[in-house]
Amino acid sequence: MDPSAYIAIYIPIFILFFIILPQQNQIQKLIILKRKKRKGLIKMTNEVIKKYIGKNCRISTGSFGTNVIGKIIDVNENWIEIQTKKGNELINAEFVQSIKIDPSK
């Protein structure tokens, strides 16, 4: 093969792997950092959650996160311990977006 054919084949691959993809990774990291800073503005305090110990509730950690249904057992530092049908679960309180109390139970 002639050297110009090698250049035509390998230069686009080089540009893709060493220039374009690292830039996209940096942009994604910046977006994640911005989201974390935005979430960090409003932190849920443990005193608010401690009022609901012993009550059945639904805890949501976001639109793509998990929804946990169960009874709040304990709140320590940033962790919420919940008793569910499957057993006990721990949720990081920093990622909690909403807590809905179930009045019927």
Side-chain angles (χ1 to χ4, degrees):
M1 273 184 142
D2 145 42
S4 62
Y6 284 116
I7 291 173
I9 293 172
Y10 291 111
I11 291 292
I13 293 173
F14 176 81
I15 291 172
L16 177 70
F17 285 117
F18 292 104
I19 297 173
I20 295 174
L21 291 179
Q23 285 179 350
Q24 286 181 345
N25 288 338
Q26 288 176 349
I27 291 170
Q28 287 176 350
K29 287 178 185 177
L30 289 174
I31 291 171
I32 290 171
L33 284 175
K34 285 183 181 180
R35 285 182 185 164
K36 285 183 179 181
K37 286 181 184 178
R38 200 174 351 171
K39 283 185 179 179
L41 294 175
I42 302 171
K43 290 187 178 180
M44 185 175 285
T45 61
N46 290 340
E47 289 79 33
V48 175
I49 302 171
K50 286 182 181 180
K51 291 191 311 188
Y52 301 114
I53 291 177
K55 295 185 179 180
N56 288 323
C57 62
R58 173 177 291 180
I59 297 177
S60 173
T61 58
S63 57
F64 294 114
T66 59
N67 288 327
V68 179
I69 301 171
K71 182 188 266 185
I72 297 177
I73 298 173
D74 191 20
V75 178
N76 286 326
E77 295 177 10
N78 287 337
W79 293 96
I80 304 170
E81 185 176 0
I82 300 174
Q83 181 180 9
T84 62
K85 292 179 182 177
K86 296 178 182 178
N88 291 351
E89 292 187 29
L90 292 172
I91 295 178
N92 191 341
E94 291 180 9
F95 297 105
V96 172
Q97 286 191 347
S98 68
I99 298 177
K100 296 180 182 177
I101 305 302
D102 189 11
S104 64
K105 294 182 181 179

